Amino acid sequence: MNYNWNWGVLFEEEYLGWLISGVGWTFSVALVAWVLALAVGVLVGVGRTLPSRPVALICTAYVELFRNVPLLVQLFLWYFVLPEIVPSDLGRWMKRDMPNPEYVTAVIGLGLYTASRVAEQVRAGINAVGHGLTSAAYANGFSTPQTYRYVLLPISFRLIVPPMTSEFLTIFKNSSLALTIGLLELTAQSQQIAEYTFQGFEAFTAATVIYVVIALGATVIAQILEKYTRIPGFVGKA
């Protein structure tokens, strides 16, 4: 294969700017979607463990729906279908006047999808605490909200740091699907560089290296966080 390698193209002002812009959009989408995922995921995860059966069923339905529909399909539904089924004025605003519709759609779609995965981690963490501490809290006169606030959630949040690290890394990788609705994040910018320069290996190698650096950085931070939040001698399911 006669391929002319040219790594210097990545450092040309225009293409380097595209890569930097792509990294910025990737961080912007992933981090804002992560905040949304945490907020919704914690509520849904807690809801799945509550004594109230209707609440638990609603939260379970949310998890099953969002986890079992591919993220790409969800993004298409949010971006192309939703504006057509809402009232016409709202749909027109969503399609024509809403600022950065691709970004908003990517954040909402990715955030709600990831929330279903976060909810499962939260539920597993609460269940790992065990019935012993829960019973002890009720025996000491704690209400259900107090039991969750002072006993279950503080412990479970510390237990689920490792699996939540995986979800955090996954949300960065899944952000690449935003290119399908027109958001020029890192993968889309790499693809654009490849199309303009015909240096596809260099462009996608650069994207790969950047994703690896992001993953390694997040892993190191998570390991430090896990070290400081570890509960010495804790044994769940007591």
Side-chain angles (χ1 to χ4, degrees), residues 37 57 237:
L57 287 175
K237 288 292 184 181

Side-chain angles (χ1 to χ4, degrees), residues 52 57 65-66 161-162 223:
S52 173
L57 287 175
L65 174 64
F66 280 86
V161 170
Q223 289 176 341

Side-chain angles (χ1 to χ4, degrees), residues 11 14 30 42 48 57 68 80 82 108 124 150 174 189 218 224:
F11 300 97
E14 180 181 12
V42 169
R48 293 199 67 186
L57 287 175
N68 290 293
F80 296 110
L82 183 62
I108 292 175
Y150 296 113
N174 285 341
Q189 293 285 20
I224 296 173

Side-chain angles (χ1 to χ4, degrees), residues 54-78:
V55 173
L57 287 175
I58 292 172
C59 292
T60 299
Y62 174 91
V63 170
E64 295 300 324
L65 174 64
F66 280 86
R67 286 187 71 189
N68 290 293
V69 177
L71 175 57
L72 182 59
V73 174
Q74 293 186 38
L75 289 177
F76 283 171
L77 290 174
W78 284 109

Side-chain angles (χ1 to χ4, degrees), residues 151-169:
V151 180
L152 296 178
L153 292 182
I155 297 175
S156 64
F157 284 162
R158 297 170 74 176
L159 295 177
I160 63 175
V161 170
M164 291 292 275
T165 302
S166 297
E167 300 300 339
F168 184 67
L169 296 179

Side-chain angles (χ1 to χ4, degrees), residues 72-118:
L72 182 59
V73 174
Q74 293 186 38
L75 289 177
F76 283 171
L77 290 174
W78 284 109
Y79 190 71
F80 296 110
V81 178
L82 183 62
E84 303 299 331
I85 61 177
V86 298
S88 58
D89 289 341
L90 177 59
R92 191 178 303 109
W93 177 80
M94 293 174 67
K95 291 185 290 185
R96 298 180 182 177
D97 302 322
M98 182 171 67
N100 294 323
E102 298 86 2
Y103 173 76
V104 174
T105 301
V107 167
I108 292 175
L110 184 57
L112 294 182
Y113 170 79
T114 307
S116 65
R117 302 177 61 87
V118 170

Side-chain angles (χ1 to χ4, degrees), residues 156-236:
S156 64
F157 284 162
R158 297 170 74 176
L159 295 177
I160 63 175
V161 170
M164 291 292 275
T165 302
S166 297
E167 300 300 339
F168 184 67
L169 296 179
T170 299
I171 205 170
F172 273 94
K173 292 183 288 185
N174 285 341
S175 68
S176 62
L177 292 177
L179 70 87
T180 59
I181 58 173
L183 184 67
L184 293 177
E185 43 67 63
L186 178 58
T187 302
Q189 293 285 20
S190 299
Q191 182 176 344
Q192 186 172 242
I193 292 173
E195 291 172 351
Y196 271 73
T197 65
F198 300 102
Q199 306 294 147
F201 285 107
E202 292 88 339
F204 287 108
T205 298
T208 301
V209 170
I210 292 171
Y211 279 120
V212 170
V213 170
I214 292 173
L216 291 176
T219 301
V220 170
I221 294 173
Q223 289 176 341
I224 296 173
L225 181 62
E226 182 183 358
K227 176 182 178 181
Y228 284 99
T229 58
R230 183 179 294 115
I231 305 175
F234 177 80
V235 178

